[in-house]
Amino acid sequence: MKEPLVPVVPMSHTAHIRSHRKPRRSATSSIALRAGVAGGVLSMAAAGASASANAAEPVTQTIELPTLTADMSAQVAQSAAATQQAAANYELRAERDAAAAKAAAEAKKDLAEAKKKAEAKKKAAEAARKAAAERANRSAERATLSASASASASTSVSAPSSGSVATVIAFLKAQVGDAYVMGATGPNAWDCSSLVQAAYKQVGVDLPRVSQDQSMAGTDVPLSDVQVGDILYWGGKGSAYHVGVYIGDGQYLDAANPSKGVVIQDLSGYPASGAVRVL
C-alpha cells in the first residue's frame, strides 16, 4: 500500500528566527486592566471626598507612654538628688533660724541683766553719796562741838622763838618724797594733817590731829596777807578736808594724795579756802 503523500509547504527564509514581538493580550485581560484602573481612580476620588468631609472633625490619637530609657533614668536620678539637696537646704535654713532666735533670746536676757546691774550700780552710787553727805554732816557737827575747845587751844599756843618758822619749814622739806597714806603718822608716810601736826611739834606747838580741828587753831589770816609758816586749809572752817603749810613765793607744802605723796605745789593751781597763824 502506498503511503499518503505529505504536501510540502515552502518555508520563509526567516522562519527559523524566534520572533521578538510581545504576545498580544487577549481582549479579556485588556478589559480587566481598564476596569481595575478605573476602579482605582474612583477609589482615590472617594477617599479624597471622605477626607474633605471629615477634615473639620477632631482627630483623637492615643499617645503611648515612652519606654523608660537610660536618659530618662538619669533625669529621674538628678531630680531626686535636687529634691534631696533642697531638703538639706531647708533643714540648714531651719537650723540657722533656730540659732538666730536663740541668739536673740540670749541677747535680750543679757540686756535685761545689764539693765539690772546698771540699776544696782546706780542705787549703790546713790547710797554712797548719801553716806558721804551724812559723814560730812557728822564732821560738821563734830567740828561745831569742838569749836570751843579749839578756841581755847589757840589762846594757849605759846609764842615761838625767832627760829621756830625756819625749823618747821626745814622739817617739812625734809619729808618731801615720802608717801601719802591715810591715817599714817610718819616717819616715812603721812596724811595731810599728821604731817602738819608733826612739823609744828618740832617747835613745841601741839595741834589737833585732824584737818577740821587744825583749821580752827590759831588766828584767822586773810589769804592776801598769808606768811611763811601759816597753815592753809581747804573746805569750810571747822569742816576742812585738807591742810598744808605756806612756804613762801606762792608755794605750799603738803601730803597731797596717794599718787603724789609729800610735795611742794603752787598755790595758784589749787587755791586754799582760808589760813590760820599759829607761830
Side-chain angles (χ1 to χ4, degrees), residues 83-168:
T83 302
Q84 185 176 2
Q85 182 63 41
N89 292 339
Y90 290 146
E91 184 177 359
L92 179 60
R93 184 180 301 174
E95 292 177 355
R96 289 178 177 174
D97 291 343
K102 183 178 179 181
E106 291 178 354
K108 185 177 181 180
K109 181 179 178 181
D110 292 342
L111 180 60
E113 291 179 356
K115 288 182 177 180
K116 185 182 295 184
K117 289 180 180 179
E119 289 294 331
K121 187 175 181 180
K122 182 178 179 180
K123 290 180 179 179
E126 183 65 19
R129 186 189 65 78
K130 291 181 178 179
E134 291 176 357
R135 285 195 300 270
N137 291 334
R138 287 195 297 269
S139 297
E141 292 175 358
R142 185 172 65 247
T144 301
L145 293 174
S146 62
S148 57
S150 297
S152 62
S154 65
T155 58
S156 63
V157 175
S158 58
S161 60
S162 58
S164 296
V165 173
T167 301
V168 169

Side-chain angles (χ1 to χ4, degrees), residues 162-207:
S162 58
S164 296
V165 173
T167 301
V168 169
I169 302 304
F171 176 84
L172 291 171
K173 288 185 177 181
Q175 314 312 313
V176 172
D178 285 354
Y180 175 98
V181 178
M182 177 65 72
T185 58
N188 298 315
W190 314 85
D191 61 18
C192 64
S193 57
S194 69
L195 179 62
V196 172
Q197 184 186 47
Y200 283 93
K201 191 173 183 179
Q202 303 302 311
V203 294
V205 177
D206 291 328
L207 292 176

